[in-house]
Amino acid sequence: MPILNITLIEGRSQAQKDAMYREVTDAVCRSLGAPTESVRIIVNEIPAGDFAAAGVSKASAKAKAPETTSA
């Protein structure tokens, strides 16, 4: 029974997560030959302030990023 633990920064919609569940399950079934019913996925969502890269939290990086405008 494949058990997958996925960590994401919070903020994705339930529809996005549902799509990910389907696609990850399909990939695991294809690559491992596991039956769909045996695949388990655990998602840990963390606040952007609790995830950092290169010493800067994602929340701080987002706050400092210049806003983009679409033309």
Side-chain angles (χ1 to χ4, degrees):
M1 170 187 335
I3 302 172
L4 297 97
N5 193 334
I6 299 172
T7 302
L8 299 171
I9 296 173
E10 66 185 3
R12 280 138 178 117
S13 70
Q14 188 61 51
Q16 288 174 310
K17 291 184 284 186
D18 289 343
M20 179 196 61
Y21 300 147
R22 286 188 299 274
E23 296 214 20
V24 168
T25 297
D26 289 347
V28 168
C29 292
R30 247 188 344 270
S31 61
L32 300 180
T36 301
E37 300 78 25
S38 72
V39 178
R40 306 291 187 260
I41 301 172
I42 301 164
V43 172
N44 298 298
E45 290 187 280
I46 59 171
D50 291 345
F51 181 90
V56 179
S57 75
K58 287 296 188 178
S60 295
K62 184 176 182 181
K64 292 179 184 177
E67 290 190 33
T68 58
T69 59
S70 48

